[in-house]
Amino acid sequence: MARFTAENEELAREIIGRYPVLKSATIPLCHLAQEQDGHLTEEAMEHIAELLGLAPAEVLGTASFYEMFKREPVGKYVVNVCTSISCFLNGGDELLEHAEERLGTKAGGTSDDGLFTIEGYECIAACTEAPCLQVNYRYFHKISNDEFDRLIEDLRAGKRTDIPPHGTLALVRQHIDAERAAGVSPPDHGEQPVWLRDTPALQDQSG
Amino acid sequence: MPDEEITLTVNGREISAPKGQLVIAAAEQHGVFIPRFCYHPRMKSVGMCRMCIVDIDTGRGPALLPACMIEVAPDMKVDTESATTKKAQDGVLEFLLINHPLDCPVCDKGGECPLQDNAYAYGPGESRFVEEKRHFEKPIPVSDVVFLDRERCILCDRCTRFADEVAGDPLIHFQNRGNETEVNTFPDHPFASYFSGNTVQICPVGALTAKPFRFKARPWDLEKVESTCTSCSVGCRVTIEASRNHVLRYQGVDIDPVNWGWLCDKGRFDFEAIESDDRLSEPLVRKPSGATDGTGELIAASWAEAIGAAADAIRNAEASAVAVLGGARLTNEAAYAWAKLAKGVIGTDHVDAQLDDGLPGVAVVGLPQATIDDVCAPGATVIVVDANLKEELPVLFLRLRDAVINRGVKVVELSSMSTGLAALAAVSLVHRPGEAHLAMRALVGDGDAAAVLDGDLDAAKALTGGNVVAIVGRSSVGESAAATVEAAAVLLDARADTRFLVALRRANVRGAVDMGLAPGLLPGRVTLDDGRQWFHEHWSTLPDEEGLDATGILTAAAEGRIDVLVLLGADPAADFRDHDLAQRALAGARTVVSIDTFMNRSTEKADVVLPAAGYAETDGTTTNVEGRVSVLERKVTPPGTARADWMLAAELAYRLGADLGLESVEDIWNEIEALAPAHAGITRELLLSPAGADGVLVPLRPEVAQAAEGQPVQITGIEGTEPDNAALAEAAEPSDDAGEPEPEAVEAVTRAEEEADARPDTVRFSRSDSYESPAPDAYSLRLIAHRKLYDLGTLVQHAPSIAELAPGSTLLVHPYDLDRLGVSDGGRVKVTSPRTTLTVEAHASTIIPKGSAALTVNQPGPDPADLIDATQPVTDVRIETV
Amino acid sequence: MITDAQPIITTRFGYDDSHTLERFLATGGYDGLRAALRKAPQQVADDVKAASLLGRGGAGFPAGVKWGFPPANVWPRYLVVNGDESEPGTYKDRMLMERDPHQLIEGCLIACYAVGLSQAFLYVRGEMALAQERIANALNEAYAAGYVGKNILGTDYSVDIVLHWGAGAYIVGEETGLIESLEGNRGMPRLKPPYFPAVLGLYNKPTIVNNVETLANLPFIARNGGDAFAKLGAETSKGMRMFAVSGHVNKPGVYEVEFGVTTFRDLIEAPIYCGGVRGGKKLKAFIPGGASAPWFYEEHLDLPLEKATVDKAGSMLGSGAIVVMDEDTDIVRACHRIVRFFAKESCGKCTPCREGTSWLEKILQRIIDGYGRPEDVDLLLDICDNISPGINWPPRQTTICPLGPSAVSPIASAVGRFRHEFEAYIGAPVETTVQMNGLAYKAPEPASA
Ligand SMILES: Cc1cc2nc3c(=O)[nH]c(=O)nc-3n(C[C@H](O)[C@H](O)[C@H](O)COP(=O)(O)O)c2cc1C
Ligand code: SF4
Ligand code: FES
């Protein structure tokens, strides 16, 4: 698997349809591809380029700018241990060291069983909860070494069904019903919005 | 209307600059050079390298701002010498150098490297960077001709911007981020762009190098002359750069009216052919051999013997049994000399520079002419008829692309298949091969809309309701030129003020026709009849009546009516669109004299072969697609005893007991200027003066005459086509506008006009009868025989770096037809015309309309020229599975 | 000063189901939207202007003023919500997105109504899976209930809000980088001036970029009027504001406090907030407004959290991130850690940032590894000077955006105050020649009696 499945291609088209300009869908589609394959494959980028009318080099140019897109296979669980300033002050480095030891690989590497990839990460916006980490971008706050070990055990044992495999971000997707959609606003022809006038949109005082 | 001028201060000096100009450009124009790497005047500024940051005060105190991004503003104060500016620029340079390898001594760019130069001029002395430098795998090929050394790259975004913005081939791109950013391609998607070589030229360091030049020379060893590229008829200005009598590279020169500094890769890299071992370097004469078929063998001969043989053959023939085919490879001067020899000495009008792969001479010189700038003028609407610009005139394609993207130009394309222009065109109308005129009638007249097989005719009509400019070409040789000519006529009938850019591909085809190398024409764009009296005073003889065109000549030769067939850089056996006819003609002509730079399929059949000096080996001038004359320079000596084409004409004339009176290139041009009606006033001095640096349009425009101030511009006569008459009228109008011509120039032109009586009128396009095409045959597909940039052409095939790029020919058919014929995509089929049957691979392609089939000419593999009967208006073929 | 002003935007955080439409509606949700729609758009905009709502994304530009920038008669106009929160120390937008997504949506709707923005893009940092889920869910609920999309609340006001995910790049938080990213490009910032997004933004159309927290305040303003908001706070800093206090304090946390009057000391020391430096240790330094900000010290503790005051003292409130370092903190390592961030996150567009921040990081690493040379400290400062000439505050820059110069703050702060710690690593005295002009970088005047 590498190009989008028929189902995902359908989804891709729905996503593309929300943007006034095709290229805007590049990042969402790369996420979708990564969700499908666990990492972002060359074939997927070629498929995305086709769908968006781009050269594959443009898709790669964009994708490679962003850290979350992995162009090589990674573990089922990507563990990002924050080592940015607030966590650094509160044991982030030690947590990373412990993780490396526990999983038997240095940051950037994948455990032998192929299950875990560890990364020393920059600030994940949980600074008051240091030290902290993410597994597949789901948060674990103020985590001790023991808690870390337990987490790994649980993941190994398949007990954490709330954490989908790497690539899947949100388990809920936005869906805009055609009936309810206001519609995209293409940049090349726009008019003053109808509601932008001197009178209120809502006249009915009871509302 | 003159642009609004703005006054600002640069380094304490008040300057004025047009509104919208960037500070970096305004300063440079006033002698203040601001260092830069990423800025390129022909691309959008990105302000990335930060080298051009200078103190700019717009009223809120000085701030360090990139001069390449900031437009001039009233009362702006720019300080390029302040201590902060200097410190910041030094800093940027140091930053650029910390990761840059110190391999200048082995770098192709060493000696012409802005980074190196700036390092001397602005940078601190020794490196404070003691850390390890960034490492990348050393040069990687990004295309067949370009290598990339990412360690040297300074990430200025020039190549990537060029690929995306200018060429429209975004195949190289920044990858990764921050300090790990690199330029690269997508894996297995090389930078296969017709324009990739430009990135090498604009790379400010030695990161991008061209295969043909790598390690060949140190830039300081190169001697340069400025010339014009003659790989096609766009006429890009170039420098020819050579060392010790070897041409080592061409670089684009930025001239406003034509190429803006860009070249296509074919033009840039075909210099390799100059030194090919296959060049003809000595005369050959066919002598009897041991072979029993009596055909003999080509044996090296002395010049005296070879020329003598050719002269004898001509002397013994009736004038009307002598024909000259070819001439588009020649300089204007050589073309003139040959026209004079053929028409004014021998007296034959069976002369054609084209191989029925262009448009008739009267259309080429007689249609009201448009320039490249005209078709790219902001807001213009351009109708493109049967011109596959990307494949045939690549840099014109770039100009038009820019015009569409950045200048609001709208293109309406009429074509028998979808071309590289389709993505740019506002509307593409597809017609059946040989029915361009029907589509044109539907567009601008009341013709049947059914002639448009595909495309939004109403949208096209809405766009072309007003003034239009047209580009007409000959994108397919599967059909005769008649339909395209008729389409031009229909357009001209409907919109009398339409001007045309006749977009023919062969290098100096325009110059050759201007010089009279076409049946029925004489030098300076006059017909044989109109010019008879005038030229009779200067030439000893003239043909009695209009002669045959290429197809006519070859037919006559095949029928045994031609005694001497002179091939003037023409290879009909390979290049004529009807191979069968060409073969029969070469066999049927009693004597074939070939003048060429390479041995080719036709020279092999010749009786006398005379080696000619080629590009970069001869002086003279050339004329581009717009009718712009520019100067060619010689840089190296021709191989062996090869000689300039014009000398051969003079020598032959001499052997025929005549004197052309042409002793040098200068002589010839002087005679052209004095005699050719359209060329009056375009003196060699003018061409060599600053006013002529961008080339000079024929006929001379008053503003050019004026710009040549200080130059003794003598105009002894002129006859303008429409726009020039308008210009004359305008010029005659008293005006105090600064943009108007100086009184002397006006006077010169007016004087010229008065004297014009002496010279005959230049030709105006007209057609005798309107053309009607044959109805399609329901059982056949109609053949499109189109071109690709890289083909089996002589120069391409003798330039090793690009020779392999010829893509080969496969039959393209619309999926619907392929399905109907029961052929699978990629399956082998038999293609049959009355001429022959070819077996080819067929591919489904939606760029071909239903009912047509396309093959590429002159490619490795089956050639459509085997199928075409040049005497027929169209080529219908039947297709069946093998 | 600690006041009893009530929170505005964190009011629902106490509920477990704070993110649901049900809870939202039960607690006054979408009343602000209704209130706004009962006014003409311009009136709503005027209200926001009257509120003096400063942008909460970092630059602190008044939202109401920004809303007035789009040129007349250029359509369409877009809204881009900046939910890319990534600056080290910053943690508040994530909370707002995870715990009260409907409040944010309501804010977007009010902004679009007031300014005539015809499509909104809600750009959420890629690494925030839960926030994405919650917002997706909230949007789906809101669409179904008629709050978003076509004919909102039965009026002719229609706008789509599109949830967009980032993919890991701090620079995309910078508004022009955000726009590039939303266009599907590498998130490399654009030069401004000449053009600001409000004039030429997404797809080169006028675009309002606002931070999540900024927008979250709009329902309150719409319900209660701009004046009610402006009654809170002081001077140029009105309303309430969220601050994340992290590092060496007893109770790190995110607190919504009255803007402009609460002091750093209040936040760091008061028992209802952080309860002082951890373990009774002494304060060594603190970062007042995110990793880009010059550091503050003991003598700054009594400054109010007020924009102009903090600016004048030589730093900034930035993204509302306060990071506290106690007396045991290894300053060289802390400094390195922050510089490493900017080096990693440089987009690579500008030479001084791309090359300079990495160079700084390498030198600091070398010093930490024990290979420092006495001249390295001056070299660090000179590199800083080449990225941000004069090492001043507010900074000048040789770069396009402020990221490059951000790496200068921690170095200038660390070298300015704690030179001896560099000397300790290097093992030799250190001389510097490069001038630092930022006020906070300099040692305080000796206290006069
Ligand atoms: C390097 C850099 C990073 C930034 N990151 C963020 C961010 O993560 N979130 C944010 O809202 N604003 C960020 N900003 C500020 C934005 O550029 C912009 O000012 C803000 O989104 C405007 O919204 P506001 O006016 O509502 O604050 C950043 C600015 C810079 C220079
Ligand atoms: S300063 Fe740095 S992050 Fe900002 S645009 Fe320049 S290179 Fe990119
Ligand atoms: S030349 Fe201006 S920033 Fe590069």
Side-chain angles (χ1 to χ4, degrees):
Chain A
M1 248 198 314
R3 290 174 65 86
F4 285 123
T5 59
E7 194 185 331
N8 279 338
E9 186 172 328
E10 191 65 23
L11 199 49
R13 289 187 199 282
E14 185 193 330
I15 292 169
I16 294 168
R18 288 178 207 156
Y19 294 95
V21 173
L22 297 190
K23 196 178 185 195
S24 280
T26 306
I27 292 177
L29 295 199
C30 287
H31 276 305
L32 182 63
Q34 186 152 282
E35 173 162 347
Q36 174 180 291
D37 301 328
H39 72 286
L40 185 58
T41 66
E42 279 171 22
E43 292 81 356
M45 285 189 272
E46 285 171 333
H47 196 182
I48 291 168
E50 274 168 40
L51 291 170
L52 300 179
L54 303 172
E58 294 175 279
V59 176
L60 176 58
T62 295
S64 62
F65 187 86
Y66 300 93
E67 229 148 313
M68 289 172 69
F69 295 128
K70 312 294 182 197
R71 279 171 292 143
E72 299 292 332
V74 290
K76 182 175 178 189
Y77 300 108
V78 172
V79 180
N80 292 339
V81 180
C82 180
T83 58
S84 228
I85 184 70
S86 301
C87 287
F88 163 79
L89 296 172
N90 275 309
D93 283 18
E94 292 73 13
L95 178 61
L96 177 60
E97 240 170 75
H98 174 77
E100 290 175 333
E101 221 164 88
R102 179 72 224 269
L103 296 173
T105 177
K106 285 278 166 203
T110 300
S111 60
D112 285 344
D113 58 6
L115 223 43
F116 300 97
T117 298
I118 322 178
E119 298 182 348
Y121 220 72
E122 293 297 346
C123 182
I124 55 176
C127 314
T128 61
E129 313 301 318
C132 57
L133 58 77
Q134 294 184 318
V135 178
N136 293 350
Y137 309 106
R138 274 139 215 280
Y139 284 88
F140 294 88
H141 290 161
K142 287 194 175 132
I143 187 165
S144 67
N145 289 356
D146 287 349
E147 283 164 331
F148 179 83
D149 293 349
R150 241 172 291 136
L151 175 62
I152 295 299
E153 286 316 311
D154 287 353
L155 287 167
R156 277 225 170 93
K159 287 193 200 151
R160 294 302 300 253
T161 47
D162 56 322
I163 300 180
H166 178 257
T168 301
L169 282 173
L171 293 167
V172 184
R173 276 184 194 286
Q174 177 176 20
H175 171 73
I176 304 178
D177 211 357
E179 294 273 285
R180 290 287 317 130
V184 295
S185 292
D188 47 356
H189 46 90
E191 285 169 14
Q192 173 160 343
V194 286
W195 72 84
L196 201 64
R197 57 177 174 239
D198 298 338
T199 51
L202 196 60
Q203 303 287 353
D204 149 37
Q205 288 299 310
S206 67
Chain B
M1 206 185 72
D3 288 334
E4 196 185 320
E5 288 283 318
I6 278 170
T7 309
L8 66 156
T9 314
V10 175
N11 296 348
R13 193 155 53 91
E14 233 176 50
I15 67 165
S16 95
K19 186 170 189 263
Q21 193 174 33
L22 295 168
V23 170
I24 198 168
E28 186 169 0
Q29 244 168 39
H30 290 86
V32 177
F33 185 85
I34 301 174
R36 79 286 301 263
F37 293 108
C38 64
Y39 169 73
H40 188 285
R42 294 294 184 190
M43 299 193 288
K44 291 202 186 87
S45 288
V46 282
M48 274 187 85
C49 76
R50 317 303 294 171
M51 191 64 203
C52 72
I53 46 175
V54 291
D55 263 326
I56 297 180
D57 185 347
T58 47
R60 274 167 290 159
L64 285 169
L65 291 170
C68 72
M69 296 284 289
I70 305 291
E71 291 178 2
V72 294
D75 302 325
M76 175 183 264
K77 289 193 182 60
V78 179
D79 190 344
T80 72
E81 289 163 345
S82 70
T84 19
T85 300
K86 181 86 177 72
K87 171 91 170 40
Q89 289 180 349
D90 281 356
V92 170
L93 199 62
E94 181 180 37
F95 287 136
L96 284 172
L97 288 168
I98 58 174
N99 275 302
H100 192 80
L102 298 169
D103 60 355
C104 305
V106 297
C107 176
D108 275 351
K109 201 79 176 187
E112 59 174 6
C113 175
L115 184 60
Q116 201 179 28
D117 297 346
N118 277 312
Y120 287 128
Y122 299 89
E126 79 200 54
S127 179
R128 303 190 288 179
F129 186 77
V130 298
E131 330 299 328
E132 196 180 337
K133 286 182 194 272
R134 203 162 38 219
H135 282 301
F136 286 109
E137 187 190 329
K138 269 296 184 181
I140 50 169
V142 288
S143 77
D144 290 298
V145 280
V146 177
F147 286 83
L148 168 62
D149 181 334
R150 289 162 297 172
E151 289 184 344
R152 290 183 189 154
C153 172
I154 58 166
L155 301 169
C156 68
D157 199 18
R158 277 187 175 193
C159 60
T160 37
R161 250 182 304 161
F162 173 84
D164 180 21
E165 270 177 31
V166 182
D169 298 321
L171 299 165
I172 44 171
H173 207 283
F174 281 141
Q175 290 174 16
N176 302 324
R177 187 177 73 206
N179 202 33
E180 282 164 21
T181 308
E182 61 177 281
V183 171
N184 212 330
T185 60
F186 192 87
D188 301 324
H189 288 249
F191 182 34
S193 168
Y194 287 167
F195 306 101
S196 69
N198 292 296
T199 61
V200 175
Q201 183 172 339
I202 61 178
C203 177
V205 294
L208 289 160
T209 44
K211 186 160 107 184
F213 184 68
R214 281 170 63 78
F215 309 122
K216 288 277 164 60
R218 311 302 303 165
W220 55 82
D221 283 337
L222 292 173
E223 304 151 18
K224 307 177 189 187
V225 292
E226 215 176 291
S227 193
T228 298
C229 174
T230 57
S231 292
C232 78
S233 68
V234 174
C236 299
R237 283 300 273 178
V238 296
T239 52
I240 302 173
E241 310 194 357
S243 172
R244 293 178 210 98
N245 208 29
H246 299 291
V247 174
L248 293 176
R249 74 174 175 194
Y250 300 152
Q251 298 273 66
V253 171
D254 189 337
I255 64 168
D256 265 329
V258 183
N259 60 313
W260 292 8
W262 313 132
L263 299 178
C264 73
D265 286 1
K266 178 170 153 183
R268 184 182 297 272
F269 297 124
D270 68 10
F271 75 86
E272 287 182 320
I274 294 175
E275 295 202 0
S276 164
D277 291 340
D278 298 341
R279 280 292 297 276
L280 285 167
S281 58
E282 54 187 359
L284 307 171
V285 174
R286 188 167 300 277
K287 304 240 173 90
S289 71
T292 48
D293 62 358
T295 49
E297 207 181 330
L298 282 169
I299 307 284
S302 71
W303 272 99
E305 184 186 355
I307 295 249
D312 287 349
I314 295 170
R315 196 177 311 107
N316 294 331
E318 291 281 321
S320 64
V322 178
V324 179
L325 207 52
R329 173 181 61 71
L330 273 52
T331 61
N332 291 329
E333 287 80 356
Y336 178 84
W338 272 94
K340 190 172 181 182
L341 170 65
K343 300 193 175 182
V345 173
I346 300 170
T348 178
D349 197 50
H350 302 326
V351 174
D352 198 347
Q354 304 184 72
L355 295 182
D356 195 3
D357 53 358
L359 297 171
V362 179
V364 176
V365 298
L367 283 166
Q369 80 189 48
T371 62
I372 295 175
D373 278 345
D374 291 336
V375 298
C376 297
T381 299
V382 188
I383 301 183
V384 180
V385 188
D386 291 346
N388 194 348
L389 301 181
K390 188 168 183 183
E391 305 296 339
E392 302 193 346
L393 300 163
V395 173
L396 176 56
F397 170 79
L398 286 191
R399 284 291 311 272
L400 196 58
R401 186 173 184 277
D402 170 81
V404 168
I405 292 173
N406 300 318
R407 279 151 225 263
V409 166
K410 296 268 183 292
V411 168
V412 173
E413 190 189 23
L414 268 65
S415 164
S416 58
M417 62 183 271
S418 177
T419 72
L421 207 55
L424 294 176
V427 186
S428 291
L429 303 179
V430 180
H431 60 76
R432 196 171 285 113
E435 296 186 357
H437 59 302
L438 300 182
M440 185 65 88
R441 280 181 203 149
L443 177 62
V444 299
D446 47 12
D448 188 353
V452 174
L453 305 179
D454 192 20
D456 186 342
L457 183 60
D458 290 335
K461 280 187 169 174
L463 281 171
T464 51
N467 275 355
V468 296
V469 217
I471 300 178
V472 289
R474 181 83 185 275
S475 53
S476 164
V477 291
E479 66 273 18
S480 81
T484 312
V485 173
E486 176 68 17
V490 168
L491 178 55
L492 201 55
D493 285 347
R495 309 252 197 290
D497 45 11
T498 306
R499 282 171 297 144
F500 294 78
L501 186 62
V502 180
L504 302 183
R505 159 188 94 84
R506 288 183 182 273
N508 195 23
V509 61
R510 183 64 198 253
V513 176
D514 273 2
M515 291 300 111
L517 288 182
L521 289 178
L522 288 170
R525 304 181 183 170
V526 290
T527 62
L528 186 57
D529 289 337
D530 292 344
R532 187 175 298 279
Q533 204 185 342
W534 169 258
F535 276 92
H536 224 77
E537 292 168 25
H538 306 279
W539 290 5
S540 49
T541 184
L542 279 176
D544 295 332
E545 56 186 50
E546 182 168 332
L548 300 169
D549 65 5
T551 303
I553 291 169
L554 292 170
T555 306
E559 291 167 0
R561 291 184 279 123
I562 296 294
D563 285 333
V564 183
L565 177 60
V566 180
L567 302 177
L568 202 49
D571 179 8
D575 288 348
F576 187 64
R577 65 193 193 94
D578 176 347
H579 279 170
D580 178 68
L581 178 56
Q583 289 298 344
R584 286 186 285 121
L586 290 171
R590 208 141 302 141
T591 304
V592 176
V593 179
S594 172
I595 294 160
D596 221 317
T597 51
F598 283 87
M599 202 68 188
N600 56 43
R601 268 150 73 185
S602 304
T603 50
E604 283 163 15
K605 300 274 162 56
D607 301 289
V608 179
V609 178
L610 304 176
Y615 185 70
E617 297 163 352
T618 41
D619 288 322
T621 57
T622 188
T623 305
N624 84 343
V625 71
E626 322 161 89
R628 178 182 304 277
V629 175
S630 61
V631 175
L632 299 170
E633 293 275 358
R634 175 175 53 185
K635 190 72 206 81
V636 290
T637 49
T641 60
R643 296 205 212 162
D645 301 281
W646 70 267
M647 288 181 188
L648 303 183
E651 183 74 19
L652 264 173
Y654 178 74
R655 299 279 177 142
L656 292 170
D659 181 1
L660 285 188
L662 306 172
E663 311 255 301
S664 67
V665 167
E666 289 74 15
D667 262 6
I668 305 176
W669 189 265
N670 290 341
E671 185 164 317
I672 294 170
E673 194 275 326
L675 289 187
H679 294 67
I682 303 176
T683 58
R684 238 186 114 71
E685 291 74 32
L686 172 62
L687 287 168
L688 294 170
S689 75
D694 293 351
V696 177
L697 282 169
V698 179
L700 183 64
R701 299 181 172 205
E703 64 272 18
V704 180
Q706 177 217 343
E709 79 196 291
Q711 296 292 326
V713 181
Q714 290 212 333
I715 301 180
T716 51
I718 191 164
E719 174 59 29
T721 45
E722 223 155 17
D724 297 280
N725 280 332
L728 285 175
E730 208 175 278
E733 214 109 69
S735 163
D736 50 13
D737 197 316
E740 294 296 324
E742 293 293 321
E744 297 98 281
V746 176
E747 206 174 282
V749 174
T750 322
R751 179 162 36 81
E753 200 179 14
E754 281 161 10
E755 289 174 16
D757 298 335
R759 298 196 183 196
D761 286 350
T762 53
V763 59
R764 269 164 195 263
F765 170 78
S766 70
R767 68 185 184 309
S768 30
D769 323 292
S770 72
Y771 166 80
E772 290 311 328
S773 48
D777 153 10
Y779 301 100
S780 303
L781 297 181
R782 192 164 280 179
L783 185 68
I784 302 167
H786 63 111
R787 293 188 175 277
K788 287 285 183 185
L789 181 65
Y790 300 112
D791 59 12
L792 294 181
T794 318
L795 292 181
V796 171
Q797 286 310 306
H798 289 93
S801 298
I802 53 175
E804 300 295 313
L805 298 177
S809 67
T810 51
L811 186 77
L812 300 181
V813 182
H814 191 277
Y816 168 84
D817 288 325
L818 209 55
D819 207 40
R820 203 168 46 93
L821 295 163
V823 180
S824 61
D825 193 5
R828 293 186 73 73
V829 293
K830 283 203 270 194
V831 186
T832 305
S833 76
R835 279 270 191 263
T836 191
T837 296
L838 297 178
T839 304
V840 301
E841 214 171 87
H843 287 280
S845 169
T846 51
I847 69 169
I848 309 298
K850 286 179 202 162
S852 298
L855 267 174
T856 321
V857 296
N858 208 19
Q859 292 288 335
D863 198 320
D866 291 343
L867 296 167
I868 297 166
D869 177 347
T871 61
Q872 296 301 313
V874 297
T875 310
D876 286 330
V877 293
R878 305 230 168 166
I879 293 177
E880 51 199 350
T881 45
V882 200
Chain C
M1 180 177 75
I2 298 175
T3 70
D4 54 6
Q6 291 306 299
I8 289 177
I9 52 177
T10 57
T11 51
R12 295 185 191 88
F13 283 15
Y15 299 102
D16 283 347
D17 62 351
S18 62
H19 56 280
T20 62
L21 181 61
E22 203 183 344
R23 172 62 62 195
F24 189 64
L25 291 177
T27 48
Y30 291 117
D31 285 354
L33 172 63
R34 267 198 194 83
L37 296 192
R38 287 202 184 96
K39 294 178 181 170
Q42 187 55 49
Q43 270 179 291
V44 179
D46 289 345
D47 243 1
V48 173
K49 204 163 177 181
S52 306
L53 169 63
L54 296 192
R56 305 294 201 237
F61 195 84
V65 176
K66 189 190 282 186
W67 289 9
F69 287 157
N73 294 320
V74 184
W75 313 102
R77 299 168 174 175
Y78 300 106
L79 173 69
V80 176
V81 183
N82 193 340
D84 193 60
E85 185 171 65
S86 323
E87 170 127 341
T90 313
Y91 174 26
K92 44 128 185 147
D93 295 340
R94 172 162 81 93
M95 246 177 213
L96 289 166
M97 293 188 284
E98 286 178 358
R99 303 208 194 166
D100 203 346
H102 281 289
Q103 176 174 259
L104 174 59
I105 292 167
E106 189 179 5
C108 295
L109 294 170
I110 294 168
C112 291
Y113 177 69
V115 194
L117 313 174
S118 48
Q119 199 173 356
F121 298 90
L122 213 168
Y123 193 118
V124 180
R125 182 173 171 186
E127 288 97 334
M128 297 177 177
L130 183 62
Q132 290 157 19
E133 261 163 30
R134 293 262 168 96
I135 290 175
N137 202 54
L139 279 171
N140 291 347
E141 287 177 323
Y143 264 97
Y147 293 110
V148 192
K150 198 154 61 178
N151 302 127
I152 293 167
L153 296 179
T155 68
D156 60 0
Y157 170 42
S158 302
V159 71
D160 273 340
I161 300 178
V162 174
L163 170 61
H164 186 93
W165 306 344
Y170 161 70
I171 190 55
V172 161
E174 194 283 331
E175 57 188 359
T176 59
L178 189 73
I179 286 168
E180 286 287 333
S181 181
L182 189 51
E183 290 182 1
N185 300 326
R186 302 161 59 77
M188 308 205 293
R190 303 173 180 169
L191 187 77
K192 44 170 200 181
Y195 300 111
F196 290 87
V199 178
L200 274 182
L202 185 65
Y203 313 129
N204 283 328
K205 292 291 166 189
T207 301
I208 297 297
V209 181
N210 269 136
N211 167 261
V212 165
E213 185 187 344
T214 312
L215 292 164
N217 278 292
L218 296 179
F220 176 92
I221 294 171
R223 281 196 313 268
N224 304 296
D227 295 338
F229 186 87
K231 267 199 207 106
L232 297 162
E235 315 289 326
T236 58
S237 304
K238 305 293 191 187
M240 305 288 287
R241 181 160 183 191
M242 288 171 81
F243 288 92
V245 191
S246 62
H248 297 146
V249 289
N250 284 315
K251 279 197 319 175
V254 184
Y255 304 98
E256 186 183 2
V257 301
E258 191 171 351
F259 201 11
V261 296
T262 314
T263 65
F264 288 106
R265 190 184 299 283
D266 294 337
L267 261 184
I268 294 171
E269 294 181 355
I272 57 159
Y273 300 129
C274 296
V277 176
R278 207 176 53 185
K281 296 245 170 70
K282 280 219 295 243
L283 176 80
K284 190 165 189 176
F286 66 97
I287 309 175
S292 323
W295 299 355
F296 272 175
Y297 310 95
E298 178 74 33
E299 71 265 25
H300 297 103
L301 275 175
D302 290 315
L303 292 180
L305 297 161
E306 201 280 318
K307 180 180 181 332
T309 313
V310 173
D311 288 352
K312 226 170 79 194
S315 189
M316 63 172 180
L317 285 175
S319 52
I322 297 168
V323 182
V324 175
M325 294 180 255
D326 72 13
E327 55 188 316
D328 295 339
T329 307
D330 181 331
I331 287 296
V332 180
R333 283 178 189 266
C335 168
H336 166 262
R337 197 50 62 103
I338 298 173
V339 172
R340 185 188 78 178
F341 173 79
F342 293 114
K344 268 197 198 169
E345 297 296 339
S346 165
C347 80
K349 190 171 185 180
C350 313
T351 306
C353 173
R354 178 184 70 239
E355 305 294 337
T357 54
S358 289
W359 192 4
L360 291 171
E361 195 261 329
K362 283 181 172 148
I363 294 170
L364 285 165
Q365 185 66 57
R366 190 159 46 72
I367 292 173
I368 291 169
D369 291 345
Y371 300 102
R373 309 165 305 168
E375 65 266 34
D376 281 336
V377 178
D378 206 30
L379 178 57
L380 283 173
L381 291 184
D382 196 43
I383 296 169
C384 287
D385 191 64
N386 286 340
I387 298 172
S388 181
I391 313 188
N392 211 332
W393 195 265
R396 298 183 76 189
Q397 58 196 52
T398 58
T399 53
I400 288 174
C401 89
L403 187 146
S406 295
V408 170
S409 304
I411 292 179
S413 298
V415 174
R417 277 296 182 105
F418 308 101
R419 176 180 309 231
H420 55 279
E421 296 202 25
F422 286 87
E423 290 174 334
Y425 267 105
I426 291 167
V430 157
E431 296 264 331
T432 58
T433 60
V434 179
Q435 284 279 324
M436 294 192 285
N437 295 300
L439 197 58
Y441 303 139
K442 300 181 174 173
E445 299 293 319
S448 50

